[in-house]
Amino acid sequence: MIITRLEYVDKTNKNTFILNFNDILTILVGVSGVGKTRVLNCINTMKKIAMGDLAETANIDWSLDFVVDGSGCKWSGQIENGRIVKESMAKGEEMIFSRDEKEILLEGVSVPKVSDRLSLLAVFWGVGDIKRMYEEIMHIYFININSIPNEVYIRPSVARDANGMNEESLGYTNLSIYEKMLVAYMKGFDVFEDIKDDYITVFPMVEDMKFDYDRTGSDYTFYLKEKTTDWISYEGLSSGMKKGLFHIAAFNMLPEGSILLIDEFENSMGTRCLDLVLDMLNSNERNYQIIVTSHHPYVINNVDMAHWQVVLRGGSRIYTKGKEELGLGRSHHEAFKQLMNLEEYTEGIFD
Amino acid sequence: MNLYILVEGRRTESIVYPSWLGHLLPDFKRIKDPFILKDKSIKGNHYYLFDGGGYPNMLKDVVAGAMDLNEIGAFDYYIICLDTDDEDCYEREQAVLDRLEESGIELSAELVVITQKVCIESWFLGNRELMKKNLRGADIEKYINFYDVGEKDPELMPKPIYSTDSIAMFHYKYLKTLMKKNGMNYTKGRPYEVCSKNYLTELILRSFYTGHLESFARFVDLCMKIKERA
């Protein structure tokens, strides 16, 4: 699934977001406070709505344009006080479902009313084309500072219950990143070795990694060994090492074709780790759609301008502009310098 | 006539120069995209200003700016403004010229290097109005006792032996303290107090009547020359 455009109106806070995204990789740049993280939150809210996770006070209008299996789709709706008053899903010219206060139509046929606290995606998730759309929206993953656990303790039953899994199906489970890593380690999947190799590239003092029982002997935790030390448990790792591990694991283990939302991924990362993650962003072997926010000149200079979207705010309207609209790319100045000299970047927030 | 101006920048120059150009060259319009001047039907006087993000980082931009300027083919002047810090004007200017020479680029515009000796804050120290008040307090007296910028040329002010700051930082701190004593707030990111026509006029008068602020005078003379030619 590729998200191409999102219009999102937060009626409670009176903010309107009009956002365009590049197909494989979008790097959202802009002055501090302009709303880059909120853009990621808006996209993540789409997943919450699809799951039926509505806050009681939600007052939102949305219209999400996306492409699934080559077909352009539009999912839109209105929520008032946590209740969905309008919703529709179109695939090309064909209306998949629609609802308003009077009726619900599914593929043109009227169906009984359902809870207005649930999106029709959540209700009809197993039906026809909706199944595919639902699955794709479920593969939106928001990675930020809160995603990275301070500790890792996994029940042994996770590994026991993974009997039927193969390397491909593991990615599509609802297990957490570290639970997937545990299963991969226990089953000797290649992906664990891939993660280890990537990690050692970034942290060359590391020699090995494994999962083993924790001090209490009841749960599994992660360990790594440096060349000059004994095994160190996950809790003893620095924030940079934890962050690097999480990102490397995520890039290797999330389902192919997922949408990754990463907020300021350069924080707490040294240049080696940044280089590796940038390589992963640019090579994108698992066909993710990646939407990241960044302030870092090193990151911005190493991502092609074609992938930039500058986030701007005019009053209550937050919107994006790409390379062409901003006239970028013609100058011989370094990419980040061109960005720094754009009024849209340095000012960013207009009355 | 069109000017391509590369400033050492980061913050101060990007704010101050457009303000001052508004007073000195009011007929010149700032453009945000120099490539629009590829359209030869666009007439009038314009300037484009690029922030080089500090020295020596900006030396890369000296070459990139020259390449852009040549490609656009519509600029009359390439003006490069940078601090001298602890070098003299000649050395800093030569660093720019050497970089251009290494690149092998032949400029299609007239090159002028404006060296801000010691830094742009040294120029701002030249406003004698700041010294007129009865300035009291150990903080400002320390500076005035060391070097009275009301009487002596700020551009020639050294730094005290006991100071661990760079000479540019010393000038900056002197200015900040002096401004504060005059009820003004100065930071590199918010230098708005020095942007006014009055402030600029005071610096011009200082330069004219005393011969101080020689590098600042070069900037003003350049603007007058451009004004005559435009």
Side-chain angles (χ1 to χ4, degrees), chain A residues 67-117:
Chain A
V67 176
V68 170
D69 298 332
S71 296
C73 306
K74 187 189 279 288
W75 177 40
S76 43
Q78 292 176 12
I79 301 176
E80 286 171 15
N81 299 317
R83 294 178 188 280
I84 301 178
V85 298
K86 236 181 185 177
E87 190 181 1
S88 65
M89 175 74 82
K91 182 179 171 185
E93 299 295 325
E94 184 193 346
M95 187 62 70
I96 304 295
F97 62 66
S98 66
R99 88 199 290 174
D100 56 31
E101 283 168 51
K102 289 189 193 138
E103 68 177 344
I104 298 174
L105 295 175
L106 176 63
E107 293 173 351
V109 176
S110 185
V111 296
K113 274 202 164 183
V114 298
S115 169
D116 56 9
R117 290 197 174 279

Side-chain angles (χ1 to χ4, degrees), chain A residues 152-308:
Chain A
V152 168
Y153 295 109
I154 305 170
R155 292 168 290 113
S157 57
V158 168
R160 281 198 305 269
D161 294 346
N163 270 333
M165 274 183 221
N166 58 33
E167 194 155 341
E168 194 187 336
S169 63
L170 176 60
Y172 288 93
T173 64
N174 290 328
L175 296 175
S176 72
I177 293 287
Y178 287 110
E179 286 171 344
K180 289 182 186 180
M181 269 185 77
L182 170 66
V183 171
Y185 172 75
M186 291 298 197
K187 289 181 161 296
F189 290 159
D190 288 342
V191 68
F192 188 85
E193 293 300 312
D194 292 341
I195 293 169
K196 187 163 81 174
D197 287 343
D198 285 341
Y199 198 76
I200 291 172
T201 304
V202 175
F203 300 103
M205 66 285 198
V206 171
E207 199 171 62
D208 202 357
M209 52 175 66
K210 67 176 183 181
F211 281 87
D212 204 341
Y213 283 105
D214 64 6
R215 284 191 307 273
T216 67
S218 53
D219 289 332
Y220 279 109
T221 190
F222 175 84
Y223 293 87
L224 65 79
K225 187 178 183 311
E226 294 183 353
K227 287 173 185 161
T228 56
T229 68
D230 208 341
W231 290 97
I232 307 166
S233 72
Y234 181 86
E235 272 179 31
L237 302 182
S238 69
S239 61
M241 291 181 90
K242 285 176 181 171
K243 189 164 184 178
L245 179 63
F246 187 87
H247 280 84
I248 291 166
F251 270 92
N252 277 284
M253 302 216 68
L254 288 173
E256 284 204 31
S258 294
I259 297 172
L260 305 193
L261 314 173
I262 311 178
D263 195 21
E264 291 188 12
F265 73 94
E266 69 266 13
N267 288 348
S268 304
M269 278 202 195
T271 349
R272 265 209 209 105
C273 196
L274 267 184
D275 271 338
L276 181 74
V277 176
L278 277 168
D279 280 345
M280 287 174 163
L281 283 186
N282 286 316
S283 63
N284 196 3
E285 288 167 16
R286 293 178 69 77
N287 297 317
Y288 299 131
Q289 181 184 22
I290 303 168
I291 303 172
V292 305
T293 67
S294 182
H295 284 295
H296 204 296
Y298 188 80
V299 169
I300 293 169
N301 272 331
N302 282 284
V303 173
D304 194 297
M305 273 182 195
H307 301 302
W308 294 2

Side-chain angles (χ1 to χ4, degrees), chain B:
Chain B
M1 179 174 288
N2 298 313
L3 318 175
Y4 192 111
I5 306 174
L6 169 65
V7 298
E8 181 172 332
R10 267 195 287 237
R11 288 163 290 174
T12 314
E13 285 87 338
S14 299
I15 296 169
V16 173
Y17 274 106
S19 296
W20 284 1
L21 290 172
H23 305 313
L24 294 167
L25 298 171
D27 293 336
F28 278 73
K29 188 180 164 195
R30 185 177 184 182
I31 53 173
K32 297 299 169 72
D33 177 4
F35 287 86
I36 63 169
L37 296 177
K38 273 185 151 183
D39 179 358
K40 300 294 181 253
S41 69
I42 294 178
K43 303 293 176 203
N45 300 315
H46 308 94
Y47 74 91
Y48 173 71
L49 189 136
F50 191 92
D51 173 349
Y55 184 88
N57 205 340
M58 70 174 289
L59 288 176
K60 287 186 272 190
D61 296 297
V62 166
V63 176
M67 292 169 78
D68 281 358
L69 179 160
N70 279 356
E71 184 182 320
I72 295 163
F75 286 94
D76 301 276
Y77 281 93
Y78 187 23
I79 303 169
I80 300 173
C81 306
L82 69 172
D83 292 343
T84 61
D85 297 316
D86 51 6
E87 292 183 342
D88 63 38
C89 292
Y90 171 80
E91 284 171 320
R92 196 49 63 99
E93 182 172 347
Q94 199 58 44
V96 171
L97 298 176
D98 287 346
R99 183 59 70 101
L100 272 173
E101 195 178 319
E102 278 161 22
S103 70
I105 293 176
E106 276 196 44
L107 271 180
S108 62
E110 184 176 339
L111 173 69
V112 179
V113 180
I114 298 291
T115 44
Q116 298 154 182
K117 184 175 171 60
V118 156
C119 56
I120 200 168
E121 281 84 11
S122 312
W123 289 0
F124 305 154
L125 281 166
N127 182 356
R128 278 185 158 159
E129 291 291 309
L130 296 178
M131 302 298 282
K132 279 193 172 166
K133 272 175 78 170
N134 189 11
L135 301 170
R136 288 194 177 189
D139 49 355
I140 191 59
E141 284 167 17
K142 171 181 80 174
Y143 285 107
I144 295 173
N145 289 341
F146 170 70
Y147 193 99
D148 184 344
V149 291
E151 296 298 322
K152 300 183 197 173
D153 187 353
E155 288 192 14
L156 301 181
M157 179 169 67
K159 67 163 187 159
I161 299 168
Y162 57 75
S163 172
T164 53
D165 290 324
S166 65
I167 187 169
M169 181 54 70
F170 180 76
H171 283 221
Y172 165 73
K173 285 182 177 178
Y174 192 150
L175 175 73
K176 202 169 160 65
T177 308
L178 187 56
M179 287 266 194
K180 201 170 174 187
K181 287 294 172 185
N182 280 272
M184 297 188 232
N185 188 26
Y186 178 86
T187 62
K188 284 187 180 287
R190 299 182 64 81
Y192 302 112
E193 301 281 4
V194 307
C195 293
S196 69
K197 195 168 183 178
N198 282 346
Y199 203 104
L200 177 62
T201 303
E202 287 298 327
L203 298 183
I204 294 171
L205 290 173
R206 173 76 180 264
S207 167
F208 182 78
Y209 283 111
T210 66
H212 295 167
L213 303 178
E214 195 176 312
S215 67
F216 167 75
R218 285 191 64 226
F219 163 68
V220 176
D221 289 345
L222 173 66
C223 290
M224 295 301 102
K225 182 176 161 189
I226 289 169
K227 196 171 184 175
E228 278 174 37
R229 280 184 59 185

Side-chain angles (χ1 to χ4, degrees), chain A residues 330-333 337 341 343, chain B residues 4 32-33 51-52 61 68:
Chain A
R330 295 163 301 173
S331 167
H332 295 87
H333 287 287
K337 289 265 183 88
N341 276 275
E343 185 188 38
Chain B
Y4 192 111
K32 297 299 169 72
D33 177 4
D51 173 349
D61 296 297
D68 281 358

